[in-house]
Amino acid sequence: MELELRFFATFREAVGEKERTETFEDDAAVGDVLAALEAEYEGLEGQLLEEDESGRAIRPQLSVLKNGRDVTHMAGPETPLEDGDRLSVFPPVAGG
């Protein structure tokens, strides 16, 4: 399946572009895509996923949106993806 991937702030710098289309296995979930991105881009290594008591988890304060909806309100890293979905990845935001 083809996914549209969108990156923001420091993640955009790590990837070198704002948007890209990539092909993944038909049964890929959000966590699979994030793991593939960590493996592909040195600047993303260890920035997207972590291990917790239940297994693989999206790092705290990270926002990952599937077609505009936060995946933490779905199935987190196990959120299924479909051909043509848009996955947006935002780094933590700090400020006052």
Side-chain angles (χ1 to χ4, degrees), residues 1-3 22-29 81-85:
M1 78 176 125
E2 281 195 351
L3 300 176
E22 287 197 29
T23 302
F24 295 91
E25 296 292 327
D26 287 341
D27 61 349
L81 296 166
E82 297 177 9
D83 189 51
D85 280 347

Side-chain angles (χ1 to χ4, degrees), residues 24-64:
F24 295 91
E25 296 292 327
D26 287 341
D27 61 349
V30 168
D32 301 322
V33 172
L34 296 179
L37 292 172
E38 283 189 333
E40 184 175 350
Y41 298 102
E42 185 176 311
L44 295 181
E45 186 176 349
Q47 299 296 308
L48 307 177
L49 295 170
E50 66 181 15
E51 292 294 320
D52 68 8
E53 64 279 349
S54 64
R56 183 168 62 178
I58 295 171
R59 287 199 161 279
Q61 284 79 44
L62 187 69
S63 294
V64 179

Side-chain angles (χ1 to χ4, degrees), residues 5-20 34 37-38 41-49 58-65 87-93:
L5 306 175
R6 300 178 70 205
F7 305 95
F8 297 86
T10 57
F11 292 163
R12 180 184 305 166
E13 293 171 21
V15 172
E17 56 191 332
K18 179 179 180 177
E19 293 182 15
R20 66 179 298 126
L34 296 179
L37 292 172
E38 283 189 333
Y41 298 102
E42 185 176 311
L44 295 181
E45 186 176 349
Q47 299 296 308
L48 307 177
L49 295 170
I58 295 171
R59 287 199 161 279
Q61 284 79 44
L62 187 69
S63 294
V64 179
L65 308 180
L87 201 63
S88 303
V89 184
F90 295 86
V93 178

Side-chain angles (χ1 to χ4, degrees), residues 64-65 69-76 79:
V64 179
L65 308 180
R69 286 193 59 215
D70 194 325
V71 299
T72 59
H73 302 297
M74 297 180 197
T79 301

